[in-house]
Amino acid sequence: MEAPLSLLEHYKTKQPVTCGHVGALTKEETDKLRQLWQLVIDEFDRTDSEPLRVLFRLSDSDALYEDDGLTSLSFEPLVPLSSKDRAQSESATPESELQSESAMQSESTTPNGTPLSNRIARAGSGLLGWMSSGRSTPASTSPDDDAAAQQRRRESVQDHVQRTQHHTTPLVPAPFVPLFKQPEQTRTFRSAFWQAATQTRNADSWVLRFLRARKWDVCAAFAMLRKTLEWRAGQALDEIMFYGESQLHMHTMKSGLAFACTRDRLNNPVFVIRVRVNMARERSIAAIKRFLCWQIETSQLLASGVDGRVTLVFDMSGFTRDNIDLQLVRTLITLLTNYYPETLGVMLIYVNSLLFSGLWALIAPFIDPNVKAKIILARNASGLVPFIDRKCLPVELGGSKAFKYEYVVPEINENSCMGDVKARGVVERTFGDAVDAYERATRTWLTSKSDDVSVDAGHERDSAREAVCKAFDALDPYVRARTLYHRLE
């Protein structure tokens, strides 16, 4: 048996990484996949109506709560962008006043005009309750920045569009409603599973990620899968994608902190992260965490044909002490390691900075070995070319592709179908029926014994999977706001 190719050899030969993936499984790996699916199905049956035990909690920073990974990133209300703004608001208002203000403002509304009272109750006291009251964050008195500039830096994409285009129409014309008729504050294991697994267009591909990440230890893979679903429910990721860019910060979107712009030699989408535009003192980690989650979730659409893998390029050009942000790096690595296993294809760090070399020595020991094996340090464009063809590499990274990031704001009516409740109901029922059929086919596949029955069950399951994909494509415009990448097509 031939030794598997190294990562670099895959790129040199342009041979996709298939080991342990759908279509290239050994008999032993297939058995492991069946065992994990059996645990998933058993959990469906055991917790059919029991909500996942997650903590829904609004937070604007890790300074208020220890980052347990379950703090909700719900968009309502939008967190301040700047840590300076947060410090100013905390010092300006006593906690007792914040609590009373939160209690009195139950009539406050979401970006779509729906009541915020239920979220205020979850938010609790302190700054969170104050933010939930609907009051504007006080402008910074910094001599370096006037109040208007502070306000512009904090505004959401929706606020920006409404201010500059002089209209009040929300970019997402409907309140968020979870799939499978789930209550807003809870998700069952089954609903969370199918909401996540169907995004990759093949639930087997999503399940296999956990097996590979846990080196084919079925019990460990299931524990990781469950923890991921609890995290997704606690973070309200389905809500993040529902509102999309409309409730991300305009400042972050316009700056081009992270964006997809090309594909690598294995056809994985390439996301460039321009570290020089990030300054820790001018952002809330919760705001950036939302942004990163939105980018990673969006990447799954761009990477659906390559099993969900993406390539990251950290552009360290222009890197200074002001750009040192260990918390952001830790957050991204935690996301990729714990909650998006096997999503990273390769991470290229484009660096010519001595300052970063010292920083890397601090970061490296905390990186999961599986992730570290995919990290390549490139001193110049020649270090990137083995992974990204020079003609596909943007000029700013030393390539020949003429690309300049420019954020195109959402069009006012691009999400108009999201307001059609009746039409959504029709396609959502079709999606639910398709998921039910796929689940039944999976149960038959798991209980099949003889090779003939197994083959028939496999064909039935393949047909059911195609029906789920078709139904998901029809449902997607009703549950996910259009993105920058839709507008650039």
Side-chain angles (χ1 to χ4, degrees), residues 317-370:
S317 58
F319 180 76
T320 69
R321 291 183 182 275
D322 287 337
N323 304 125
I324 295 177
D325 193 345
L326 293 179
Q327 194 175 27
L328 184 148
V329 174
R330 184 190 69 184
T331 297
L332 180 59
I333 291 174
T334 298
L335 290 173
L336 292 174
T337 302
N338 294 348
Y339 306 119
Y340 293 96
E342 295 293 305
T343 296
L344 178 64
V346 63
M347 181 185 294
L348 306 173
I349 301 180
Y350 181 60
V351 57
N352 55 7
S353 166
L354 292 176
L355 175 61
F356 178 77
S357 299
L359 185 62
W360 177 249
L362 295 175
I363 298 171
F366 300 98
I367 300 177
D368 180 272
N370 291 330

Side-chain angles (χ1 to χ4, degrees), residues 99-109 115-117 120 129-130 132-135:
Q99 293 173 337
S100 61
E101 291 252 3
S102 174
M104 290 189 297
Q105 293 294 331
S106 60
E107 70 277 8
S108 298
T109 59
L116 268 176
S117 55
I120 294 172
W130 180 82
S132 297
S133 70
R135 290 174 52 187

Side-chain angles (χ1 to χ4, degrees), residues 137-424:
T137 306
S140 170
T141 56
S142 168
D144 300 325
D145 216 351
D146 60 24
Q150 288 280 336
Q151 185 62 35
R152 301 283 165 79
R153 196 173 68 243
R154 293 194 306 272
E155 71 181 353
S156 67
V157 171
Q158 176 170 286
D159 291 339
H160 173 81
V161 171
Q162 291 181 339
R163 177 177 59 81
T164 57
Q165 299 186 22
H166 308 291
H167 72 87
T168 58
T169 304
L171 294 173
V172 177
F176 168 68
V177 177
L179 285 177
F180 304 108
K181 298 181 173 60
Q182 294 284 289
E184 186 175 350
Q185 299 175 34
T186 63
R187 306 288 187 276
T188 64
F189 178 90
R190 181 179 183 273
S191 67
F193 176 89
W194 287 117
Q195 190 274 334
T198 51
Q199 293 187 89
T200 62
R201 308 190 67 77
N202 190 333
D204 280 348
S205 295
W206 192 73
V207 170
L208 282 167
R209 294 181 187 183
F210 297 93
L211 282 169
R212 296 195 300 271
R214 289 297 176 260
K215 301 189 182 304
W216 301 91
D217 183 324
V218 175
C219 292
F222 179 73
M224 185 184 192
L225 186 152
R226 184 178 179 83
K227 183 179 179 182
T228 295
L229 295 181
E230 290 173 348
W231 175 82
R232 291 180 65 89
Q235 297 287 9
L237 288 192
D238 47 357
E239 181 185 351
I240 287 178
M241 301 313 294
F242 183 85
Y243 287 118
E245 296 164 36
S246 71
Q247 292 301 305
L248 295 179
H249 280 112
M250 180 66 186
H251 175 85
T252 303
M253 297 301 298
K254 187 176 180 180
S255 71
L257 171 62
F259 53 87
C261 61
T262 188
R263 290 186 178 270
D264 68 12
R265 291 184 182 274
L266 298 183
N267 202 37
N268 299 324
V270 175
F271 280 75
V272 176
I273 300 175
R274 297 195 296 189
V275 179
R276 65 182 177 273
V277 306
N278 175 68
M279 294 188 182
R281 68 173 183 272
E282 293 186 349
R283 61 103 183 101
S284 155
I285 190 60
I288 291 298
K289 194 173 181 180
R290 278 185 193 152
F291 173 74
L292 292 176
C293 286
W294 175 81
Q295 286 281 14
I296 296 173
E297 290 286 304
T298 300
S299 76
Q300 299 305 285
L301 298 180
L302 301 177
S304 60
V306 288
D307 205 18
R309 293 184 300 277
V310 299
T311 288
L312 300 181
V313 177
F314 274 80
D315 180 8
M316 307 298 293
S317 58
F319 180 76
T320 69
R321 291 183 182 275
D322 287 337
N323 304 125
I324 295 177
D325 193 345
L326 293 179
Q327 194 175 27
L328 184 148
V329 174
R330 184 190 69 184
T331 297
L332 180 59
I333 291 174
T334 298
L335 290 173
L336 292 174
T337 302
N338 294 348
Y339 306 119
Y340 293 96
E342 295 293 305
T343 296
L344 178 64
V346 63
M347 181 185 294
L348 306 173
I349 301 180
Y350 181 60
V351 57
N352 55 7
S353 166
L354 292 176
L355 175 61
F356 178 77
S357 299
L359 185 62
W360 177 249
L362 295 175
I363 298 171
F366 300 98
I367 300 177
D368 180 272
N370 291 330
V371 174
K372 190 185 294 186
K374 300 177 181 180
I375 297 178
I376 309 295
L377 298 181
R379 298 288 180 183
N380 48 46
S382 297
L384 300 176
V385 168
F387 303 92
I388 307 172
D389 193 293
R390 191 177 292 275
K391 69 176 182 292
C392 298
L393 194 63
V395 171
E396 67 177 78
L397 295 177
S400 58
K401 180 177 180 176
F403 176 86
K404 181 179 180 181
Y405 177 81
E406 182 177 355
Y407 180 58
V408 180
V409 299
E411 297 178 5
I412 295 174
N413 296 318
E414 70 178 23
N415 298 310
S416 59
C417 70
M418 297 179 77
D420 191 337
V421 177
K422 184 176 180 180
R424 170 180 165 163

Side-chain angles (χ1 to χ4, degrees), residues 28-39:
E28 182 180 1
E29 289 168 345
T30 300
D31 289 342
K32 296 284 188 180
L33 175 62
R34 291 166 70 105
Q35 291 171 35
L36 182 51
W37 263 110
Q38 187 63 62
L39 291 178

